[in-house]
Amino acid sequence: MENGEWKMENAMQQDGAQPTPNSRLSILDFSNFLIVANPLKALQKLAEAHRENFKIPVIGITGSNGKTIVKEWLHQLLSPDRCIVRSPRSYNSQIGVPLSVWQLNEEAELGIFEAGISEMGEMGALKRMIKPTIGILTNIGGAHQENFFSLQEKCMEKLTLFKDCDVVIYNGDNELISNCVAKSMLTAREIAWSCKDIERPLYISKVTKKEDHTVIAYRYLDMDNIFCIPFIDDASIENALNCLAACLYLMTPADQITERMARLEPIAMRLEVKEGKNNCILINDSYNSDLASLDIALDFLVRRSEKKGLKRTLILSDILETGQSTATLYRRVAQLIKSRGINKLIGVGAEISSCAARFEGTPERYFFPDTDALLRSGIFKTLHSEVILIKGSRVFNFDLVSEELELKVHETILEVNLGAMVANLNHYRSMLRHPETKMICMVKAAAYGAGSYEIAKTLQEHHVDYLAVAVADEGSELRKAGITSSIIIMDPELTSFKTMFDYKLEPEVYNFHLLDALIKAAEKEGITNFPIHVKLDTGMHRLGFSVDEIPLLIRRLKSQNAVIPRSVFSHFVGSDSAQFDFFTRQQIELFEKGSQELQEAFSHKILRHICNTAGIERFPGAQFDMVRLGIGLYGVSPIDNSIINNVSTLKTTILQIRDVPGEDTVGYSRMGHLTRPSRIAAIPIGYADGLNRHLGRGNAYCLVNGKKAPYVGNICMDVCMIDVTDIDCREGDKAVIFGDDLPITTLSDKLGTIPYEVLTSISNRVKRVYYQD
Ligand SMILES: *Cc1c(COP(=O)(O)O)cnc(C)c1O
């Protein structure tokens, strides 16, 4: 492959060492290494070749929303009859897909894989690996953010997955999808389902929503049937209909479909990280209980527990319906837990308890016959400074466990989607002209409000070259929490040099006063060659050496050896807007000249950088050696305020709903005038949480169950009121202040400010909750 670019090496042969029975061998000693020019391409080619070995039906699922749910539900619906290999979690990317396809084995009778793309042109590689015979196109979303043409383009790209399918399944009532399918002239048979058109191959004759379930009647091949699903939201219904079509195509008898649809389980799509009592961190994973997902969750646990001093604890229920014998299953579970270095296992259920002896490799072990016994045992009081993974099959009701362990605070939370942040990182990485260009990620101001530690940790895992914070204390906090990446301090205070030396935090230096003080402090400590980052002023006129100060700067730097310039940089004034392009080009020119002058005076390489987020995209020619990614990482494109991948969601819970007569007013100073008898909900978020008071009095809205609920009257310090007269909702329902369906830029536009300000205004008392898709 790869024109003979493969090279194979075997670690043992290379060492020439023979393993003796007693020597401790690591897995690397038995590994073969393939050295390739492009590991991703090689991985994909391997997956393609592997896929060729299987002549089985393979379902490929793509679309904007619902891929993972459709995949998991199909697994629930079809697995009793056949051995299925499917993507773990949402492994649907350029790396996730080959890892998924790689799992195909001799026993497999059906494959179910998701394909997700973030850019045009990516689907080709995914198609070659998945080679689906059955295609499912789930919902194409995002209509509120993008125009129809870009959606259509996206849809067409997605459909290329299905070029060689035998059958394609989609929502025939969705005009966009129907048009695209028609335009892409697939040769496949189509099962378009429709609630409107009786001529469609699968006609949905009636959908009736009840209190807690939906009854669906359908006609397929002239036969009428009916089934229920235990969900009532539109997205679940659409997902279920896509599953129905696939089951029918695979000739699943109608009575089996009916029976299994009624038992569909909800899919929690993510690993939730929450703060627990007694300095514990909780990772809640009620996703599904098979070995593959356990492995992923354990990996996540291990990465979170590297933070100093936290032990690793696993609360695990019986793993149901894996098709393996109890003995084999728990032998493998025990191996997995041991290899991940779990300190404490709390097993719940008859089966895992019966295998207690197998877990001897884990230092502390406790077993309980059921969840009730666990809750009554008092063991939770003994959990201290631990990272606890809670993983249970649904029947074990582990919600009760996490509720018990969770630290209860203010009901208003900022949810941070780490997966979306990584997607944004990759989005901007893909814009780098040269792969070796380095990247600084800005985590100043508590990572633009998202919370420094988790963000920094995730960025470190993705090997960004530098993190940048504003002040030394932010940097030392990260160090204490275990962050080892290089860290730049953008605003070094004269009083914090010691902290910087102690924690190896590299300061920006912007004038002689600061430079001299730094050199003096370093010399006093006997420090040499401490890296600094020289800032040039090319037009911002905020901080920085002017270009004509460079000769003096060079002389000063050369006259000492306490500090050494690691990089030289400048900052754009208006790189986001074409209006300032002339000025931006002047800045680049001035920077080019100034930074070169500095470089020429030294024999070591000094990294040059000027691009912020907007610069990376709009001035790729100015990416130099390094770029500084800020707002884009957090999901907002500074160029047009569009959302790339939404990272943060600010949400709260309705405390109370009241009917208020039409002639009354709501809130302070009687500013909330009603025009009709209204239902008014109170939510526990106010200006002290960062909800700007100017959004009140009907100037903006939040979302309750997907519908707009305007703020009524003045926003108070800790609470505000919203109008839910036209919304079907109850106390305890969620209200979304901003998030996937209500872009933060809607709020910043309303306020006449920038999204940066809205993000960084969210106060500390709002708990940050992290999750990974
Ligand atoms: C904050 C900051 C950035 C990042 O700017 P974005 O517009 O968020 O990309 C880059 N460079 C410097 C010096 C900064 O202070």
Side-chain angles (χ1 to χ4, degrees):
M1 280 197 217
E2 292 273 306
N3 318 322
E5 277 180 80
W6 290 93
K7 214 164 107 192
M8 202 175 201
E9 279 183 17
N10 178 297
M12 267 192 8
Q13 283 170 358
Q14 228 188 9
D15 286 339
Q18 285 299 315
T20 59
N22 294 328
S23 67
R24 283 176 127 260
L25 288 168
S26 95
I27 184 135
L28 290 178
D29 295 321
F30 294 106
S31 302
N32 291 311
F33 291 87
L34 299 172
I35 297 175
V36 294
N38 183 334
L40 178 63
K41 258 205 202 146
L43 180 70
Q44 295 183 340
K45 283 205 170 172
L46 265 178
E48 270 175 50
H50 185 65
R51 170 70 181 88
E52 292 294 329
N53 299 329
F54 302 93
K55 307 268 173 281
I56 55 171
V58 167
I59 303 179
I61 307 172
T62 191
S64 311
N65 303 316
K67 296 187 287 291
T68 304
I69 293 177
V70 168
K71 179 198 70 191
E72 290 301 320
W73 278 0
L74 280 173
H75 179 255
Q76 290 178 19
L77 294 164
L78 297 168
S79 67
D81 314 314
R82 31 177 108 50
C83 176
I84 297 178
V85 169
R86 70 193 196 280
S87 327
R89 290 196 165 271
S90 305
Y91 273 34
N92 60 32
S93 66
Q94 297 288 315
I95 295 178
V97 167
L99 296 178
S100 304
V101 170
W102 190 249
Q103 298 193 23
L104 282 172
N105 56 36
E106 273 131 52
E107 277 113 68
E109 293 164 282
L110 173 68
I112 312 180
F113 302 111
E114 293 177 43
I117 51 170
S118 49
E119 276 171 46
M120 299 304 290
E122 286 186 339
M123 194 55 99
L126 302 187
K127 176 186 172 287
R128 289 192 295 276
M129 291 183 276
I130 299 177
K131 280 193 118 195
T133 58
I134 301 168
I136 301 180
L137 185 61
T138 65
N139 197 297
I140 296 282
H144 47 278
Q145 284 165 18
E146 291 145 282
N147 63 44
F148 181 81
F149 292 105
S150 74
L151 270 183
Q152 186 165 18
E153 198 180 29
K154 236 195 230 172
C155 186
M156 293 299 288
E157 166 86 10
K158 289 191 170 160
L159 281 169
T160 58
L161 178 65
F162 303 146
K163 241 178 71 208
D164 302 313
C165 279
D166 300 330
V167 64
V168 176
I169 291 165
Y170 63 94
N171 175 358
D173 293 338
N174 182 315
E175 252 177 69
L176 170 71
I177 297 180
S178 289
N179 285 342
C180 291
V181 172
K183 261 176 77 178
S184 60
M185 295 190 293
L186 301 168
T187 50
R189 178 178 155 198
E190 288 173 24
I191 304 187
W193 52 266
S194 172
C195 303
K196 298 176 189 155
D197 183 357
I198 197 162
E199 298 297 317
R200 291 288 199 175
L202 172 56
Y203 174 56
I204 310 303
S205 45
K206 196 156 185 213
V207 175
T208 320
K209 290 187 189 181
K210 299 281 169 79
E211 173 83 8
D212 60 355
H213 65 282
T214 305
V215 185
I216 298 172
Y218 65 96
R219 169 174 294 189
Y220 181 69
L221 301 178
D222 288 332
M223 300 276 280
D224 285 304
N225 275 299
I226 195 161
F227 67 93
C228 293
I229 54 169
F231 302 91
I232 52 171
D233 59 292
D234 294 339
S236 294
I237 294 170
E238 181 159 355
N239 290 332
L241 292 175
N242 279 319
C243 291
L244 171 70
C247 291
L248 290 170
Y249 175 75
L250 289 168
M251 295 192 285
T252 314
D255 53 338
Q256 275 184 18
I257 294 178
T258 304
E259 183 204 320
R260 290 172 191 169
M261 282 282 186
R263 288 190 287 127
L264 280 182
E265 296 201 356
I267 310 296
M269 301 272 295
R270 56 213 208 173
L271 292 163
E272 257 183 353
V273 185
K274 288 187 182 158
E275 208 172 324
K277 293 174 184 158
N278 299 328
N279 191 34
C280 289
I281 295 173
L282 307 181
I283 303 173
N284 200 355
D285 186 16
S286 47
Y287 180 57
N288 52 18
S289 60
D290 55 36
L291 278 172
S293 78
L294 177 62
D295 194 22
I296 293 168
L298 284 172
D299 180 52
F300 192 74
L301 164 74
V302 169
R303 287 188 283 135
R304 295 301 116 172
S305 63
E306 279 161 9
K307 189 172 166 180
K308 254 180 284 156
L310 296 185
K311 281 189 293 188
R312 298 167 185 169
T313 300
L314 168 65
I315 306 181
L316 179 68
S317 79
D318 286 352
I319 298 178
L320 305 173
E321 295 179 24
T322 58
Q324 303 180 38
S325 76
T326 307
T328 321
L329 176 64
Y330 291 100
R331 182 164 42 80
R332 292 184 59 191
V333 172
Q335 278 167 356
L336 205 57
I337 295 177
K338 188 176 171 208
S339 72
R340 296 292 189 179
I342 300 300
N343 306 93
K344 190 185 291 184
L345 168 68
I346 300 175
V348 183
E351 290 192 7
I352 193 168
S353 299
S354 75
C355 297
R358 296 193 179 273
F359 292 95
E360 272 172 0
T362 303
E364 279 186 67
R365 307 173 295 276
Y366 307 90
F367 294 90
F368 300 93
D370 53 42
T371 308
D372 226 28
L374 169 69
L375 293 170
R376 278 185 281 109
S377 69
I379 191 172
F380 290 166
K381 291 199 194 76
T382 67
L383 305 178
H384 257 278
S385 302
E386 300 170 29
V387 185
I388 306 170
L389 171 63
I390 304 169
K391 188 141 179 64
S393 307
R394 199 154 97 96
V395 290
F396 282 86
N397 231 332
F398 270 14
D399 288 351
L400 297 174
V401 174
S402 62
E403 204 165 293
E404 192 68 26
L405 293 172
E406 207 176 297
L407 190 67
K408 304 259 176 350
V409 282
H410 203 58
E411 288 102 336
T412 300
I413 58 167
L414 184 76
E415 274 190 351
V416 180
N417 181 345
L418 296 172
M421 187 201 60
V422 171
N424 294 330
L425 173 68
N426 292 333
H427 175 74
Y428 283 95
R429 271 183 170 160
S430 75
M431 290 181 194
L432 298 179
R433 280 211 177 156
H434 304 286
E436 66 276 13
T437 306
K438 294 183 191 300
M439 193 174 266
I440 304 178
C441 284
M442 309 307 287
V443 296
K444 62 189 180 191
Y448 290 46
S452 314
Y453 171 71
E454 288 284 342
I455 298 288
K457 175 84 184 149
T458 306
L459 291 169
Q460 175 169 303
E461 278 159 15
H462 286 82
H463 310 292
V464 307
D465 301 280
Y466 272 100
L467 302 174
V469 295
V471 293
D473 281 347
E474 288 183 286
S476 62
E477 285 307 312
L478 288 178
R479 285 280 184 260
K480 284 180 205 158
I483 299 295
T484 54
S485 304
S486 300
I487 298 178
I488 301 180
I489 308 296
M490 307 302 288
D491 287 310
E493 306 103 321
L494 295 168
T495 50
S496 60
F497 294 145
K498 183 81 167 71
T499 309
M500 290 188 266
F501 300 145
D502 288 350
Y503 290 98
K504 199 160 193 309
L505 306 169
E506 308 174 12
E508 157 186 328
V509 173
Y510 50 78
N511 66 19
F512 287 109
H513 178 61
L514 177 60
L515 178 63
D516 289 340
L518 181 67
I519 291 172
K520 210 165 137 202
E523 283 172 345
K524 206 171 120 207
E525 301 278 328
I527 287 170
T528 55
N529 289 334
F530 199 77
I532 62 168
H533 302 268
V534 175
K535 184 181 227 175
L536 302 182
D537 181 4
T538 56
M540 176 77 104
H541 301 321
R542 185 169 67 177
L543 296 170
F545 292 96
S546 68
V547 171
D548 37 285
E549 284 175 317
I550 290 178
L552 190 58
L553 174 62
I554 291 171
R555 241 177 296 149
R556 186 74 188 94
L557 286 171
K558 292 222 152 200
S559 69
Q560 55 82 50
N561 67 353
V563 303
I564 180 171
R566 167 73 49 87
S567 86
V568 55
F569 71 104
S570 190
H571 197 32
F572 284 137
V573 170
S575 55
D576 54 334
S577 166
Q579 175 187 359
F580 306 114
D581 282 358
F582 180 75
F583 191 81
T584 304
R585 291 210 183 82
Q586 276 185 332
Q587 282 195 284
I588 296 171
E589 211 171 295
L590 199 56
F591 175 68
E592 176 107 53
K593 180 171 160 286
S595 59
Q596 186 156 347
E597 194 179 338
L598 184 71
Q599 173 66 79
E600 278 167 4
F602 292 88
S603 56
H604 73 278
K605 170 87 185 156
I606 302 176
L607 298 167
R608 303 201 284 171
H609 48 112
I610 191 167
C611 280
N612 53 2
T613 302
I616 295 172
E617 190 164 348
R618 297 196 61 245
F619 295 92
Q623 290 171 351
F624 293 97
D625 304 308
M626 188 144 81
V627 294
R628 301 188 302 272
L629 181 61
I631 191 78
L633 195 55
Y634 306 100
V636 183
S637 164
I639 296 170
D640 57 2
N641 258 0
S642 65
I643 302 294
I644 308 153
N645 294 284
N646 182 51
V647 172
S648 292
T649 299
L650 181 59
K651 56 162 77 159
T652 186
T653 313
I654 295 180
L655 293 179
Q656 176 185 293
I657 299 179
R658 274 288 142 84
D659 288 312
V660 182
E663 58 281 6
D664 280 11
T665 61
V666 174
Y668 281 121
S669 310
R670 306 203 64 189
M671 288 314 294
H673 302 286
L674 301 180
T675 54
R676 55 173 178 169
S678 305
R679 288 179 83 218
I680 301 296
I683 52 178
I685 181 169
Y687 56 81
D689 298 289
L691 185 68
N692 194 302
R693 208 164 156 274
H694 295 104
L695 296 170
R697 303 191 197 173
N699 287 327
Y701 56 86
C702 60
L703 293 182
V704 173
N705 297 332
K707 300 224 166 65
K708 294 178 185 178
Y711 298 108
V712 188
N714 281 327
I715 289 173
C716 314
M717 187 186 286
D718 309 309
V719 181
C720 67
M721 279 69 83
I722 52 178
D723 183 346
V724 294
T725 313
D726 301 321
I727 302 174
D728 181 14
C729 63
R730 287 169 238 196
E731 289 172 4
D733 282 0
K734 296 269 172 275
V736 175
I737 312 302
F738 63 79
D740 290 354
D741 298 318
L742 176 49
I744 186 160
T745 43
T746 310
L747 300 195
S748 53
D749 288 349
K750 284 251 154 66
L751 291 167
T753 184
I754 47 177
Y756 303 68
E757 187 184 358
V758 180
L759 281 173
T760 54
S761 301
I762 302 160
S763 70
N764 270 338
R765 75 176 187 195
V766 175
K767 191 164 73 145
R768 272 67 174 169
V769 175
Y770 300 90
Y771 67 96
Q772 191 131 312
D773 269 333

